[in-house]
Amino acid sequence: MYATRKTAVSKLLAIAMAIAMALTMTVSAFASDVQPYYDSETTIAGKVNVSSKTFTVTVQGPSSVTKVKMEATLYQKKLIGREEISTMSASSNSARCSKSQSAAIEKGKTYVIEVTAQVYSGGAWDTIEETITVKT
C-alpha cells in the first residue's frame, strides 16, 4: 500500500513539473524581438511635396544622441509592387538630421518612404527602421 501511494505522488509530481516546463517554454516562444534602446525615443518623419517635387525626411533623437546617420528611399506604389524613384543619405553631429531631395513626384499617387537611421549615444550605434506611406 505504501509503494502505491509513493508511486501516485511521484506521477503527480512528474505531471506537475511537465506542465510547468511546457508553460515556461510557451511563454519564451512568445517573447518579442529585441528593440534598440533609442527606438521608442527617436522619431522619424517623412513627407512628400507635390508642388515643389521634393521629399523630406527628418530624424530626431533624444538629447543624449551626438550623431545621426540616415538613408531614405522613395518608392511609388504601382498596381503590382512599387518602383524606386529616388534615394538620399545624410548625417549630422547632433540629435537631429534632416534632408530634402528632388524627385519625380506626381499628384494622386501613393508613395512609400523607407528610412534606416542610426543614432550614436554612449559609445554605441542603434539602428531604427521606419516605413512611411504618403498619398499625394
Side-chain angles (χ1 to χ4, degrees), residues 30-99:
F30 291 115
S32 65
D33 292 334
V34 176
Q35 289 184 327
Y37 178 73
Y38 293 104
D39 188 25
S40 62
E41 297 178 24
T42 301
T43 58
I44 298 175
K47 62 183 178 179
V48 176
N49 190 325
V50 178
S51 60
S52 66
K53 295 193 180 282
T54 60
F55 75 106
T56 305
V57 175
T58 302
V59 177
Q60 178 67 54
S63 60
S64 61
V65 169
T66 56
K67 294 179 185 179
V68 176
K69 295 180 192 177
M70 72 161 176
E71 293 180 357
T73 305
L74 177 69
Y75 298 94
Q76 183 184 49
K77 280 193 169 183
K78 299 289 185 180
L79 275 170
I80 299 174
R82 57 191 186 179
E83 176 186 357
E84 183 178 314
I85 303 296
S86 183
T87 61
M88 70 176 168
S89 61
S91 62
S92 72
N93 290 326
S94 66
R96 186 174 197 272
C97 183
S98 184
K99 185 172 181 182

